[in-house]
Amino acid sequence: MIRTPLRGAGFFVALLVLASRPAPAREPRTVKLRFPHVSVAAGTRPELCVFVPLRATTPFDLESWDLRVQGARGAFGIAHFLVYLYRGERFAEFAADAGRVVSSRACLALGPSDRDRRQLVASGFAVRARRALPPGVALRLAPTPRAPGEGPGGIGFLLDINWVNGADRPRVGSASATLRRAPRNRSPRIALPLEAASAELGLLVPPSALRSTEASTAALNALLPDQPPVRDVWEPGVGGGPAGDVCVLAITGRMHERGRFLGVDVVDAGGNVLAGGDAVANPFEPGRRHFFGAVDYTDPGTRSLQPPLLLRAGQMLRYECWTENGVSTPTRLGCEERAGEPPGTPRGLPGGGPARPCTEVQNPLACPSADPAYPGRSFTGACVVANAVGGATPDDEACALTGFYFDALPGASGSSCDASSLAHARPLVTEGLGAQEVGGRPRARGAARGRVR
């Protein structure tokens, strides 16, 4: 059981608080995001999520961050505190959920249809976690559209905390994330998000099976021999990506409930593995190891690279997921379209897509013969076990590589990823320049309005 205590005449959870005084002349150096006070029942481990919108029309170039958890002591604490940056195109829809605390594994039950368009920006596993980007580098947090085709709505953050209360009574906790901006006069190297999700095009796992996206992507390519093959990689020098050598700052991944493992390798154009480091063992292929591995869809972890990983044209990050459907995870159910065949086909095929969801196999009313949300498709009326395929809903699957990179410094042979020469010598100032607070009461002197310009 989770309760949100009242505060005074009313308590608005994680809403954007606007200070009554005018905005300071100078751009605020810090933004504080607040996770509200929540009451966590004894003996529970709820994963709670809240969306915090920041009104902004220009990017916020992040230099460092500080995560703090309040109320944790003894047997009451956290398993993780994650801060995601929303990168979709439906900011207004997501902002409509601002302030609503939702209990959801991996926060899959909160947000619009493109809720998966997010990237892990900061993470902590203790009562306090602090981190700074390498000298001379700033991570660009960009505003996203209010709706597809419209202007910027703001910068959106999804806060995800997995509370752990091993005590014999309810406990109350809260948390905050302080983001510090890089001074504009430092001319930092700008880090940008990287993302690859092509593996979801072929992803298909039959009922009661475990399958890798290596196998499903190969099967998709075999069905489309006249089209360029799908390659589950992210690389410099390819259309839509960076033009030259890049420096990879961090890599992580994204899966849904049935995802069991995501592995990432650094390879050359021939597929030869280039970097192992402290490689992660693949739990489904004995003897195989990966540069990065994620085993938990609710907390995929991040490999932060210090120094950054130099990736030259012709080199790439290759990723793959192992997904199961009804082995140790729930079997996907769907409305049958052809008698005797599990519904659901790979998204990359013409007319492909997930099965229409249903929840009761024995319920004759669970599946209509037609549904306007699924044009051109008809159903037998039976709710049956279905194939697990890539899709946007929480009951469909995901397999994506995400992270951050910046363009390598030209002509800096052997030190192309060392941007410290771009950082000015003056010390970082984190106090006295004003602060912007989202989701709580402004405390810092000279607090700015809840917006970035």
Side-chain angles (χ1 to χ4, degrees):
M1 178 179 178
I2 304 161
R3 297 188 299 274
T4 304
L6 294 178
R7 291 288 185 269
F11 181 60
F12 297 91
V13 183
L15 294 179
L16 180 65
V17 176
L18 302 181
S20 60
R21 69 191 70 182
R26 283 189 290 180
E27 199 168 48
R29 280 294 310 281
T30 64
V31 167
K32 181 169 283 190
L33 313 172
R34 284 196 173 276
F35 198 103
H37 290 81
V38 292
S39 178
V40 181
T44 62
R45 297 174 57 95
E47 186 167 1
L48 305 182
C49 315
V50 68
F51 183 73
V52 182
L54 178 66
R55 294 196 310 183
T57 57
T58 57
F60 183 97
D61 291 340
L62 179 68
E63 183 177 64
S64 64
W65 50 259
D66 186 350
L67 305 184
R68 300 192 186 201
V69 177
Q70 292 82 39
R73 64 185 184 279
F76 179 54
I78 63 167
H80 68 234
F81 179 11
L82 310 178
V83 179
Y84 289 98
L85 171 70
Y86 172 62
R87 296 189 58 239
E89 297 182 318
R90 302 178 183 275
F91 180 87
E93 289 183 47
F94 222 149
D97 283 325
R100 189 164 66 94
V101 177
V102 174
S103 179
S104 171
R105 296 285 284 167
C107 297
L108 296 180
L110 179 63
S113 57
D114 64 355
R115 65 176 72 84
D116 261 346
R117 294 290 308 279
R118 64 191 192 192
Q119 307 230 194
L120 187 61
V121 171
S123 59
F125 309 95
V127 295
R128 188 173 188 189
R130 305 177 67 183
R131 188 150 208 163
L133 275 78
V137 179
L139 176 59
R140 176 148 292 174
L141 311 180
T144 56
R146 290 187 298 269
E150 295 189 7
I155 304 174
F157 300 93
L158 183 66
L159 308 186
D160 173 346
I161 300 185
N162 193 171
W163 296 97
V164 179
N165 187 6
D168 57 3
R169 61 184 179 84
R171 292 287 180 84
V172 175
S174 64
S176 65
T178 301
L179 312 180
R180 295 186 175 87
R181 180 197 302 271
R184 292 193 184 279
N185 62 1
R186 291 194 186 178
S187 302
R189 206 69 170 168
I190 295 299
L192 300 170
L194 68 85
E195 181 173 6
S198 61
E200 296 174 5
L201 296 176
L203 196 158
L204 182 146
V205 185
S208 303
L210 169 76
R211 194 184 193 194
S212 75
T213 54
E214 289 177 320
S216 58
T217 295
L220 176 68
N221 288 332
L223 292 172
L224 303 171
D226 297 330
Q227 297 186 18
V230 175
R231 300 166 64 242
D232 299 334
V233 299
W234 184 89
E235 58 187 321
V238 174
D245 298 349
V246 300
C247 301
V248 180
L249 271 176
I251 53 175
T252 182
R254 181 172 66 239
M255 299 182 289
H256 281 184
E257 179 182 12
R258 298 177 184 87
R260 297 297 308 280
F261 182 73
L262 182 149
V264 180
D265 302 301
V266 184
V267 300
D268 62 18
N272 302 304
V273 176
L274 300 178
D278 47 349
V280 179
N282 186 315
F284 302 107
E285 295 190 14
R288 186 175 181 181
R289 304 183 74 84
H290 300 272
F291 183 70
F292 169 78
V295 297
D296 185 352
Y297 80 101
T298 69
D299 183 7
T302 300
R303 178 155 187 178
S304 297
L305 299 162
Q306 299 274 6
L309 171 70
L310 176 62
L311 207 63
R312 298 190 181 279
Q315 300 173 351
M316 62 201 78
L317 299 176
R318 182 183 65 196
Y319 71 103
E320 46 271 328
C321 294
W322 281 255
T323 306
E324 66 174 43
N325 182 17
V327 180
S328 63
T329 59
T331 304
R332 174 68 154 89
L333 299 179
C335 293
E336 187 181 58
E337 299 181 44
R338 288 174 291 276
E341 294 184 19
T345 55
R347 287 173 49 198
L349 292 177
R356 182 192 185 278
C358 55
T359 57
E360 299 179 73
V361 173
Q362 302 300 325
N363 183 357
L365 302 178
C367 292
S369 60
D371 186 337
Y374 295 83
R377 296 165 68 174
S378 60
F379 309 100
T380 68
C383 181
V384 299
V385 293
N387 296 318
V389 303
T393 76
D395 202 28
D396 296 315
E397 299 315 304
C399 176
L401 166 70
T402 66
F404 297 97
Y405 77 95
F406 61 92
D407 291 335
L409 277 68
S413 177
S415 58
S416 299
C417 294
D418 182 1
S420 58
S421 61
L422 303 178
H424 286 228
R426 72 189 189 96
L428 172 66
V429 178
T430 60
E431 302 293 338
L433 292 184
Q436 176 174 319
E437 187 161 318
V438 182
R441 180 177 303 168
R443 294 180 179 178
R445 178 173 297 178
R449 290 181 180 178
R451 65 184 66 185
V452 178
R453 293 191 183 276

